[in-house]
Amino acid sequence: MAFTIHTTDGNTYTYLRHTNEIVEGEVDELPRHIIFKPRERITELPTLSVFTLGVTTRCNLRCTYCCYSGQYRNTRSHGSKSLTSADIEPILNFIAHNAAVRPITISFYGGECLLELPFIVECVACAQRRWPGEVKFEISTNGILLSNDVLEWTVSNDITLFISLDGSQQTNDAQRGRGSFGAVRRALEYLHTNHRTYFDNNVNLMMTVTDITRLPEIAQLWNDDALLASKPPFRISTVAPNYGQGVERADIDTETGKYMTILEAYDHHRDWQLLAVFFERMLSEWTDRPIVELDAPVEYPTCMPHNTKLYIDTDHAIGLCEKMPDTFRMGDVATGIDWNRADKMAATLAGIIGQRCASCPVARLCNVCPMLLDLDDNEIDIFCHNQQVLQHVKLRLFCELAERELI
């Protein structure tokens, strides 16, 4: 069950799954299977508070890596459908019936949801009247349509923004479209100048890196821009694997080399906040892991039924989240959640987990996403292999950072 790494300084560390400890030296661990608690039928979502609305399938950009490009299996491509004013009342009724926790959060998503700004404005006003003081709002946007007037409206309504910005002007515009970097930076400059508290607290930058080896270069350019240096990304992601077009098995030496190059850059430039955020987010399951022995059955390591959000698409169909393929819907706004469908999905996923995770060395670090339901057995083999390689690399990075007093 244990796996071992060696650091640059010549030290050896072993991860012990049964206790979640990292110990010095090379240590053998007796094989012990994880026992999962008996699964109960899903009849409610007791922590549900976030409702993501797929406002439109329209988009004013065509990002190279977009999951809605038509290249991903069982996932919609850009289209012309949008929610309208007539959809607001039934959607809010559905939210009222299913929200289990307050405050409620309504998150507007696309496509590019700001193409339907009148719908968003009306929906926000209706929700505020319905749940005064008990509803919050989020907008995910590529930032192209964030005019000064739109920004004044988001500020006045205390809306949280998630804005896509993929690094430097060169990398961002190559991935997202020429001129997109300038549009986002102008909006950020306006907020930084006129609404600094909002800029600090309500603006989150979302970065996707298509080539992870370019991250040090991006971090340097980000650090050299005084405005961006004051706002490190909220999240830095790589491109989602596209199993429909084939995913290769990761090579541990190759992956380790990529990330060690990034670590060396951070070690030499400790003021580059982008890299600090990258490692903080990447290694969060290692830094936050509970050091406790597995001496009792545990919950299945997946979100259902404790997921905090649901997704509502332009057809009013209900999904677990915006990332789930369209073929895995579980009800609609009019008829409500199809608990039989939801429970069947959870049962199938539990079967996969029980078969594959009980003896996996990284099972306590891997939260199994229901997107796994879209993969066949061979694809799941590749997924599990790549997860083990990734966690092995993360263990190496965690130990290296700790030795260098970077965490």
Side-chain angles (χ1 to χ4, degrees):
M1 294 299 175
F3 60 97
T4 301
I5 60 94
H6 308 283
T7 64
T8 303
D9 286 345
N11 297 311
T12 299
Y13 299 95
T14 299
Y15 168 69
L16 304 177
R17 189 193 70 174
H18 201 70
T19 61
N20 240 3
E21 293 177 291
I22 299 171
V23 297
E24 292 188 49
E26 188 165 351
V27 180
D28 290 327
E29 185 178 33
L30 292 175
R32 309 182 201 178
H33 280 211
I34 294 175
I35 299 174
F36 299 105
K37 292 180 179 179
R39 197 187 68 83
E40 296 183 1
R41 179 176 172 79
I42 294 178
T43 57
E44 62 175 347
L45 301 175
T47 59
L48 182 60
S49 66
V50 181
F51 298 83
T52 301
L53 309 188
V55 174
T56 183
T57 62
R58 299 166 59 211
C59 190
N60 51 0
L61 292 181
R62 290 297 182 269
C63 302
T64 58
Y65 54 80
C66 183
C67 62
Y68 304 126
S69 62
Q71 302 301 312
Y72 281 75
R73 180 177 64 203
N74 295 332
T75 298
R76 66 168 174 82
S77 56
H78 296 305
S80 58
K81 289 184 177 180
S82 297
L83 295 175
T84 69
S85 295
D87 300 313
I88 293 175
E89 184 176 0
I91 287 174
L92 296 188
N93 287 341
F94 173 84
I95 292 173
H97 183 72
N98 290 280
V101 179
R102 297 290 194 274
I104 295 166
T105 298
I106 299 176
S107 181
F108 300 101
Y109 187 78
E112 173 47 52
C113 64
L114 288 180
L115 288 168
E116 302 294 344
L117 181 61
F119 168 85
I120 296 175
V121 171
E122 184 178 355
C123 188
V124 166
C126 290
Q128 287 172 333
R129 288 194 296 270
R130 188 158 189 164
W131 300 292
E134 289 194 315
V135 61
K136 302 187 295 184
F137 305 96
E138 301 172 347
I139 289 177
S140 295
T141 175
N142 59 37
I144 302 298
L145 300 177
L146 288 174
S147 66
N148 293 354
D149 287 344
V150 172
L151 291 171
E152 288 296 335
W153 177 79
T154 67
V155 171
S156 65
N157 286 278
D158 196 33
I159 291 175
T160 298
L161 293 175
F162 292 90
I163 307 174
S164 298
L165 188 65
D166 293 346
S168 65
Q169 181 173 0
Q170 181 182 9
T171 56
N172 180 89
D173 286 5
Q175 294 175 187
R176 303 188 62 76
R178 187 174 181 180
S180 55
F181 178 89
V184 171
R185 197 187 183 289
R186 184 212 58 78
L188 296 177
E189 187 73 55
Y190 180 85
L191 291 174
H192 185 270
T193 301
N194 297 286
H195 301 284
R196 183 57 189 272
T197 300
Y198 180 89
F199 174 85
D200 290 341
N201 298 332
N202 289 61
V203 176
N204 302 286
L205 301 180
M206 314 297 284
M207 180 183 296
T208 299
V209 182
T210 58
D211 181 358
I212 199 68
T213 64
R214 297 193 65 183
L215 196 58
E217 168 197 341
I218 294 170
Q220 180 177 5
L221 293 170
W222 193 281
N223 192 68
D224 291 342
D225 185 313
L227 174 64
L228 297 183
S230 69
K231 174 61 72 172
F234 177 78
R235 186 171 68 218
I236 303 172
S237 305
T238 54
V239 178
N242 189 342
Y243 285 91
Q245 295 189 348
V247 174
E248 295 182 355
R249 289 177 177 266
D251 175 74
I252 191 166
D253 292 332
T254 301
E255 295 303 308
T256 300
K258 289 179 184 178
Y259 287 98
M260 282 299 298
T261 298
I262 301 170
L263 185 147
E264 294 298 339
Y266 179 39
D267 195 9
H268 287 88
H269 303 281
R270 300 187 178 205
D271 60 325
W272 290 0
Q273 286 299 304
L274 188 148
L275 294 186
V277 169
F278 172 72
F279 283 116
E280 177 186 339
R281 301 288 194 271
M282 181 186 184
L283 301 177
S284 60
E285 69 265 40
W286 284 93
T287 55
D288 298 337
R289 73 192 194 285
I291 310 300
V292 60
E293 188 168 357
L294 280 179
D295 56 0
V298 298
E299 298 280 356
Y300 286 97
T302 188
C303 59
M304 295 179 72
H306 301 293
N307 49 301
T308 60
K309 71 159 105 173
L310 285 179
Y311 175 66
I312 302 172
D313 68 18
T314 52
D315 293 322
H316 290 200
I318 307 301
L320 269 176
C321 73
E322 67 277 6
K323 296 179 182 179
M324 284 295 290
D326 293 13
T327 46
F328 293 94
R329 296 295 187 242
M330 48 183 209
D332 57 55
V333 166
T335 60
I337 297 172
D338 183 339
W339 295 110
N340 289 330
R341 174 68 169 157
D343 188 68
K344 183 178 179 181
M345 289 169 56
T348 303
L349 189 60
I352 295 171
I353 292 171
Q355 178 185 8
R356 292 177 175 268
C357 300
S359 60
C360 176
V362 300
R364 296 186 70 180
L365 302 161
C366 182
N367 188 33
V368 181
C369 178
M371 287 185 69
L372 217 62
L373 294 171
D374 192 45
L375 307 185
D376 62 30
D377 286 344
N378 181 62
E379 290 167 343
I380 296 176
D381 286 342
I382 295 171
F383 170 85
C384 292
H385 168 83
N386 290 352
Q387 284 296 310
Q388 290 190 30
V389 167
L390 180 61
Q391 292 299 345
H392 199 282
V393 172
K394 288 184 178 185
L395 174 61
R396 169 74 182 275
L397 295 172
F398 181 83
C399 294
E400 292 277 358
L401 288 166
E403 287 189 347
R404 303 179 196 205
E405 297 183 345
L406 286 166
I407 55 174

